[in-house]
Amino acid sequence: MGMDRRTFLKLGGAFAVGSILAPGTQYLVMAQDENSKDKSKSKTRWAMAVDLDKCTGCKVCENVCREENNVPFYGDSADEKRYNAYWLRVADIESELPGAETRHMPIMCQHCDDAPCIEVCVTKASFKRDDGIVLVDEHRCIGCRYCVYACPYKARSIIFKKNENVTNPNVPAMMVGVATKCSFCVQRIDQGKKPACVEKCPHEALTFGNMNDPNSEVAKIIATGNVKVLRPEKRVGPGVFYKGL
């Protein structure tokens, strides 16, 4: 999807792309501990840094995300598109300057410290782990869509149709009628692996790690002060940082 840079920044980034990403995850369905809101109680705060100067818009990250997490995709026709879900989407940002190159921006759930989706969830299906990962308990979700509307980044959607194309047998297929969004590939994180998009990016544009560890690569990138977050005016504490924005 194309747009000029001014329009993109005015709209705040993610939600200018449309219904970005979606996913609830089936993992760790325990309710959120209220103490997890105190970041000092956890030594780990997972975060991602995205280098827009390295991103070419190849969309490998989109594809591997879908394959790893069984994110439903039914086709490109008008009727099929309305059922498609996205956990990660690459937005094409067109500059108003003559001769300027189109920029590409991967956008996903920002895993906010103060996530609006959690605040509005009437069943507490949306919750945040102590390590900062925001998840959805599919068994509690009633598909009311409050979280979809509350997300400043349009990073959630509802699964309307059963997905018959399960590409990863180790990850449960998503339930119909629930909210869904990027989980940072929590099933991989808990096994000591990186998210699929980070591992497979051919241009090393994505960096993932513990931002509370000053020796981690992602913490060093953030510490340079050369990164920005999307929609900072919302003050939600995103866990995704962009270099070159």
Side-chain angles (χ1 to χ4, degrees):
M1 175 177 290
M3 69 188 80
D4 62 76
R5 183 176 177 82
R6 178 180 299 174
T7 300
F8 176 79
L9 294 176
K10 180 179 179 181
L11 291 175
F15 65 151
V17 185
S19 78
I20 268 186
L21 237 192
T25 54
Q26 311 83 339
Y27 311 97
L28 300 182
V29 299
M30 69 288 239
Q32 175 193 11
D33 186 331
E34 288 300 318
N35 290 332
S36 66
K37 293 182 179 180
D38 184 351
K39 291 178 288 184
S40 66
K41 291 184 180 296
S42 176
K43 294 182 179 180
T44 302
R45 178 21 170 140
W46 296 117
M48 183 179 291
V50 182
D51 191 337
L52 300 184
D53 294 325
K54 292 182 178 180
C55 181
T56 65
C58 67
K59 300 191 177 184
V60 167
C61 56
E62 275 192 21
N63 296 329
V64 298
C65 170
R66 189 176 298 283
E67 293 172 359
E68 168 67 27
N69 298 288
N70 297 324
V71 183
F73 184 83
Y74 301 98
D76 294 316
S77 69
D79 183 61
E80 292 169 329
K81 279 184 176 180
R82 61 181 180 151
Y83 295 113
N84 292 338
Y86 291 87
W87 280 30
L88 187 159
R89 180 172 289 175
V90 178
D92 298 324
I93 314 302
E94 299 174 357
S95 174
E96 295 178 327
L97 299 176
E101 295 183 353
T102 298
R103 303 274 282 174
H104 309 285
M105 176 181 287
I107 307 174
M108 69 292 287
C109 170
Q110 306 289 294
H111 295 275
C112 307
D113 284 328
D114 299 307
C117 57
I118 294 176
E119 295 298 323
V120 302
C121 183
V122 297
T123 63
K124 298 189 182 300
S126 294
F127 65 99
K128 179 163 67 75
R129 303 200 318 181
D130 287 345
D131 58 10
I133 297 180
V134 177
L135 298 174
V136 180
D137 179 350
E138 290 188 338
H139 300 285
R140 287 189 175 190
C141 179
I142 58 174
C144 67
R145 308 189 200 183
Y146 284 172
C147 63
V148 176
Y149 298 131
C151 177
Y153 307 103
K154 299 299 180 185
R156 291 186 172 223
S157 63
I158 301 292
I159 300 299
F160 292 104
K161 186 177 178 181
K162 184 177 181 180
N163 180 23
E164 302 290 352
N165 183 27
V166 176
T167 51
N168 185 357
N170 296 318
V171 175
M174 295 179 189
M175 297 170 61
V176 176
V178 300
T180 179
K181 64 161 207 64
C182 161
S183 69
F184 270 167
C185 288
V186 68
Q187 73 279 6
R188 294 175 59 86
I189 300 306
D190 289 346
Q191 295 176 4
K193 301 177 182 179
K194 297 177 181 180
C197 59
V198 177
E199 185 176 277
K200 299 295 184 179
C201 177
H203 307 289
E204 299 183 345
L206 307 175
T207 303
F208 184 84
N210 178 14
M211 64 180 288
N212 284 349
D213 176 5
N215 295 317
S216 71
E217 187 176 356
V218 72
K220 292 178 180 178
I221 293 174
I222 295 171
T224 64
N226 295 324
V227 295
K228 298 180 181 179
V229 297
L230 296 178
R231 306 202 72 183
E233 76 281 1
K234 291 298 182 179
R235 299 174 182 258
V236 293
V240 180
F241 300 81
Y242 292 86
K243 180 181 178 181
L245 180 62

